[in-house]
Amino acid sequence: TVLLALHDRAQQLKITEDRLAVTGEKGYCMVRATHSVNRGNWYFEVTIEEMPDTSATRLGWGQEFANLQAPLGYDKFGYSWRSRKGTRFHESRGKHYSNGYVEGDTLGFLIVLPEQR
Amino acid sequence: ELLKFNQLKFRKKLLKFAKSAIHDWGLFAMEPIAADEMVIEYVGQMIRPVVADLRETNYESRGIGSSYLFRIDMETIIDATKCGNLARFINHSCNPNCYAKVITIESEKKIVIYSKQPIGVNEEITYDYKFPLEEDKIACLCGAQGCRGTLN
Amino acid sequence: WSAFAPDFKELDENVEYEERESEFDVEDE
């Protein structure tokens, strides 16, 4: 089962017991999930169960060196899809992608990697 | 320290910022200050290091010196560039009459400038910025004896 | 940045900075 990682995250974030929720109040930063891939095609889904109105998320794929003290998509190691306005980000550049997503939405993330490592 | 800090907040030291022989503007004592006194707290916006890095790049690209950033610890930097108090005007000296110290008051970390020696009226307040060593150097204008020649 | 800058704010105590959601963005769509 894919869960939020307990250690691979910005230390100021709080992970719940069931490791399916994260909260933070000291600036925008990142937590990784427990599973990584390095070849072939992979797909995961996220259902937004709860997102308080002053909160926002950026979800997607991040490589090992993505800066955990910044949002996903801040540097060249991450690709994210933002809840506000549905913008996609890479290297801090936002491009239009979809409408914003909200509680109840299920997002799909596909990554296509070469078979050889 | 809590007592001294509260006294400082209750009755601030008489200081003024004015043209400095060291650089641009400086902070000057308007009353005699004894040694080991709290002179002023270095006040500004508390930000995370990663935000400070972003701002430093941004300030430099706009020609605003980044010497108003003061590291409290690994999690917090005080940025006095656009909001702060008179402490932001204190110039660096390699042979200063004050020093900066991080103290903890009611679990809040604060930067306080202490006098090292008695300071006379109209004497400029200075402390050693202790900037980390960097590639591109900033010339030091303190003119003090034993000046190191650069800030970083 | 001189204290005479129009948007300079005098502070008596440190203030915690509230980061914006777009704090780190270079460009936003």
Side-chain angles (χ1 to χ4, degrees), chain C:
Chain C
W1 190 275
S2 155
F4 301 117
D7 55 350
F8 180 79
K9 228 169 71 206
E10 282 286 339
L11 291 179
D12 210 28
E13 293 292 320
N14 290 331
V15 294
E16 182 90 39
Y17 174 62
E18 195 71 27
E19 286 174 30
R20 292 159 296 130
E21 196 275 335
S22 57
E23 188 74 36
F24 294 84
D25 301 343
V26 165
E27 281 159 27
D28 200 334
E29 58 171 290

Side-chain angles (χ1 to χ4, degrees), chain A residues 24-36:
Chain A
E25 64 272 330
K26 196 150 170 34
Y28 285 93
C29 50
M30 188 182 345
V31 54
R32 276 205 186 83
T34 45
H35 290 56
S36 67

Side-chain angles (χ1 to χ4, degrees), chain B residues 101-121:
Chain B
K101 188 176 155 198
V102 175
I103 63 172
T104 303
I105 300 280
E106 284 144 13
S107 78
E108 285 267 311
K109 285 189 178 177
K110 298 175 182 297
I111 303 162
V112 177
I113 309 296
Y114 288 82
S115 56
K116 277 171 78 162
Q117 65 221 34
I119 297 173
V121 176

